[in-house]
Amino acid sequence: MAAVFLVTLYEYSPLFYISVVFLCFVVTAAMVLGWFGFDVPVILRSSDETESLLPTPEKQMVQMTNPFILEMGSGLASVADGVSLRPCCLEPCVLSCFWGCEVSALQAALKAHQHHPLSTPRCLQEALQLRYHHCHSFHIGSEDREERRTQIPADQGIADFGPLPRERYPLVAVLTLAEPEARETNNIVASLTVIHVPDDKYSLSARVLFQYLLTSQGNMFELKPLFMSADSVAEPPDSEQSTQPSEPNEACRVEPSPVAEEAWRGRDCVVCQNAAVNKVLLPCRHACVCDSCVSHFQHCPMCRAFVQESFTLTQGPTAEQ
């Protein structure tokens, strides 16, 4: 009966031809979209396609200990009233706050770091060539967790840093090791943080724009946050309309501090909900999958971004469980 119906439909109805052409179009479009990496319904994929997925390339990272942490402190922040910073260092260090530092001067200083490492506050001041409004320094102990309040002296009469795009960064905070012995034993000798501070012409709330770690070999690494399934390890920095320094020349995995380590250790993989999170997907920087599940995805399960590379958070027994 069904065969007779199909033969009758084939002979007398143009809907048969329309249906065949439409079905061929849908299948062809799905194959093309799947070939270029777009998501298509699972029913349209062949069973061989999922088995032929290439494993995510493992990015080779360099592990090192970061002796510096600098966070925004509590209280209101503005150019007129100042801003609070909370440093945390493994070694005694010096916190230097440069208000109104010229963008071009900072770029030149970071380029000079490749040949002459900026390991002391004096070296940094010479590299900046005094192209800033005010410098405020603090001595930080290894066990010191107190906030430091820095601001421009009122007698300078500075209420803003001009219209956008600006030629000066509101605040550049630099942490350097205070003792020569520590500079010889630590690979990372300085931490440079560019901070936006609201003023009369640009009222965006205070935040960290970007951070760089400077090494004793003249290398420069950009410190970026990792994003978790619920809370991120650090808040993502919003960019201000200004020119940033040149990109870092190497990739590194900075050994996490105790605060950051507690944020991701013990979280379960968002896919299997069985093993611990131990892989960070790039370039989206979502730390959300375990060692086993990372090989089954071409797209991040959190944001659906295409996964180009990944790297491991921890090596050893913790990663194997």
Side-chain angles (χ1 to χ4, degrees), residues 91-94 139-140 176-180 182-183:
E91 302 281 351
C93 61
V94 178
H139 289 274
I140 312 297
T176 53
L177 296 171
E179 299 177 354
R183 291 194 290 269

Side-chain angles (χ1 to χ4, degrees), residues 167-215:
E167 298 180 354
R168 294 178 181 270
Y169 290 123
L171 177 61
V172 177
V174 182
L175 284 168
T176 53
L177 296 171
E179 299 177 354
E181 296 80 7
R183 291 194 290 269
E184 295 177 358
T185 57
N186 286 276
N187 188 25
I188 298 177
V189 295
S191 170
L192 188 147
T193 306
V194 176
I195 302 173
H196 168 72
V197 182
D199 54 32
D200 294 342
K201 292 188 177 180
Y202 196 40
S203 60
L204 183 69
S205 60
R207 63 195 63 195
V208 174
L209 298 181
F210 50 89
Q211 292 179 298
Y212 288 99
L213 300 178
L214 310 181
T215 69

